[in-house]
Amino acid sequence: MTILAPDVVVAGGGIAGLSAAIAARRAGASVLVAEAAPQALRGGNARHARNLRLMHDGPTDLMPGAYDEAEFLADLERVTEGETDRAVALRLIRASADIPAWLAGCGVSFQRPGGSLPPSRKTAYFLGGGKAVVNALYQEAARLGVTVWHEAELVDLTAEREPAIVIAYGGEPYTLRPGALVAAAGGHQADLDWLRRDFGPAAARFAIRGTPFDTGRALRLLLAAGARPAGAPGRGHLVAVDARGPRFDGGIVTRVEAIPFGLAIDRAGNRLDDEAADPARTHFAKWGRLLAERGDAVLILDAEGERRAPVPALEPIRAATLDDLAARLGLDAGALRAAMAAFNAKGGAARIATPPFAAIPMCPGLTFTHFGVEVDETMRVRMPDGEGAANLFAAGAIMAASVLGRGYLAGLGLTIAIASGRIAGEAAAQHSRSRDART
Ligand SMILES: Cc1cc2nc3c(=O)[nH]c(=O)nc-3n(C[C@H](O)[C@H](O)[C@H](O)COP(=O)(O)OP(=O)(O)OC[C@H]3O[C@@H](n4cnc5c(N)ncnc54)[C@H](O)[C@@H]3O)c2cc1C
């Protein structure tokens, strides 16, 4: 059996893990990143992401106006209904202020305001999207001399004075005794059995919007080692996605963006809600929850609605008449006609009148769950006595429920991941150094 002892092992090569690895390496630690995915699919869910939320006290070259820590915290407390650890949240919010400069130092570029970008005082957008960020961070990690193992999974953990961990890599179990472990292995949303236990039968219809490698194995290991849980099982961020999309990793491509332009009904023809009530982009989350509660549904559009809606990735199902559309969808034609008549009778901007008619089958798409481990302000994993474990750190989605017990704010996932990753990486390197000084 091979026993290795780098200063810091980072489990998970998503954006939190990469931030931790770079920060730890720059602080002088030797670092090994174990990433479960193969190289082409590495990087976790940041591959699908586009913007992040940043505190700033005045206009910057990326964002107009100001978004200070009080306003950021108030937004967070509002959406979480108070389910946030204030001290940890403030640490992350303050750390968000210099994320643009830190990322720029890793070779990441941002989009400048103007052009077709929606002006945003609270979030900034990456040039080239999240995939470009992941690629730049892997390049920076390599330049610094961080060792990266792909298709390498954390499969065992014993929390002692020094953590003993097992990484399955290339068909071999490697036992490692690092000075510190940073668990940055994402959430558990790709474990369908776990989802069924927490969300009930509705989970069988979920599409998992992100990586299939977030199986929650590391989270299970931390909980088994005594970590305090954060958030609540059975809570998650759900949006409406095209039910014909892939079960995993559909990203933002299959999200249904046409809801405000049509009529959303369940398979019995019952309207789910007011489609045009909330044209803000945040309406996606409401529809995900409705689809989870009410069962799968279909969005019906007419030719005018289709023309006004953003072009979807998957071609809608079309028919020249409503009866033909009902037949193609396996719906009762009378129920569809009645739903359409009631919808049109209500007035409002949208009407379903002009053929050809189109339909998009929808199902709930799970972005992440609100469940993980508790951390303290240095991202140490809190153990049963409430104290942070000396050598066990957590960053990103695996600890996000510490500050995001429910709800969501656009761009917050990446902010939590990068800020917590940097803090965890620096603290893990420091812990490792103090261990070296003792021995
Ligand atoms: C479709 C989609 C769009 C999004 N858009 C945005 C956005 O625009 N802005 C925003 O702020 N947030 C967005 N998010 C959320 C954001 O992507 C995540 O919050 C963030 O990427 C989490 O980063 P992470 O590194 O903590 O976890 P992840 O990205 O989940 O990465 C975890 C990594 O750990 C690896 N891993 C898992 N288990 C193990 C193990 N046992 N051993 C070793 N490795 C393991 C996985 O392969 C993965 O690479 C989006 C999410 C999705 C799904």
Side-chain angles (χ1 to χ4, degrees), residues 15-39:
I15 199 158
L18 289 167
S19 303
I22 291 169
R25 184 76 193 110
R26 285 186 184 161
S30 57
V31 181
L32 170 74
V33 174
E35 160 61 21
Q39 184 162 349

Side-chain angles (χ1 to χ4, degrees), residues 67-372:
Y67 186 45
D68 63 17
E69 72 176 45
E71 188 182 358
F72 197 146
L73 185 64
D75 281 349
L76 184 61
E77 292 193 317
R78 177 177 44 80
V79 295
T80 58
E81 299 171 26
E83 286 197 43
T84 185
D85 180 321
R86 248 174 157 247
V88 177
L90 270 174
R91 181 84 204 270
L92 298 175
I93 288 171
R94 288 175 187 149
S96 76
D98 79 332
I99 286 179
W102 188 81
L103 286 177
C106 296
V108 172
S109 303
F110 285 86
Q111 293 194 47
R112 302 286 144 186
S116 58
L117 258 191
S120 172
R121 190 168 58 83
K122 300 185 178 180
T123 70
Y125 286 75
F126 298 120
L127 195 65
K131 181 68 176 132
V133 181
V134 163
N135 289 346
L137 293 186
Y138 268 106
Q139 188 176 50
E140 175 66 2
R143 195 187 65 77
L144 292 169
V146 170
T147 304
V148 178
W149 288 356
H150 297 107
E151 300 181 60
E153 193 188 4
L154 175 70
V155 293
D156 203 4
L157 161 70
T158 314
E160 295 167 350
R161 204 170 71 83
E162 285 179 1
I165 63 177
V166 179
I167 306 277
Y169 176 50
E172 295 289 327
Y174 286 81
T175 299
L176 292 97
R177 292 190 174 276
L181 171 71
V182 180
H188 67 91
Q189 61 279 0
D191 181 333
L192 302 180
D193 290 334
W194 191 337
L195 293 186
R196 236 169 267 134
R197 280 197 302 278
D198 287 354
F199 289 83
R205 295 182 289 107
F206 289 1
I208 313 306
R209 304 179 67 211
T211 173
F213 294 95
D214 278 357
T215 59
R217 194 158 188 176
L219 175 56
R220 268 199 303 275
L221 291 172
L222 287 181
L223 293 171
R228 279 165 64 145
R235 264 189 215 154
H237 181 267
L238 291 157
V239 303
V241 298
D242 193 314
R244 300 165 299 169
R247 186 78 199 267
F248 291 98
D249 239 359
I252 55 174
V253 175
T254 56
R255 189 172 63 183
V256 178
E257 306 206 344
I259 292 174
F261 307 98
L263 162 67
I265 51 170
D266 65 19
R267 298 201 65 81
N270 301 308
R271 191 174 175 193
L272 297 191
D273 203 339
D274 182 354
E275 298 80 1
D278 179 8
R281 299 186 75 75
T282 47
H283 77 271
F284 295 124
K286 174 182 91 176
W287 287 97
R289 191 173 27 78
L290 275 174
L291 292 169
E293 287 165 7
R294 300 271 301 269
D296 287 357
V298 198
L299 182 70
I300 308 292
L301 299 154
D302 72 352
E304 179 58 14
E306 256 207 284
R307 194 187 58 75
R308 292 171 58 215
V311 178
L314 301 175
E315 204 56 17
I317 298 162
R318 292 201 187 81
T321 67
L322 271 187
D323 285 4
D324 283 352
L325 190 68
R328 295 201 61 193
L329 296 170
L331 296 180
D332 179 73
L336 179 56
R337 263 188 270 114
M340 191 195 85
F343 177 77
N344 287 344
K346 278 214 171 347
R351 277 176 58 79
I352 313 279
T354 318
F357 300 103
I360 300 175
M362 301 189 287
C363 73
L366 182 63
T367 320
F368 55 80
T369 69
H370 291 289
F371 184 65

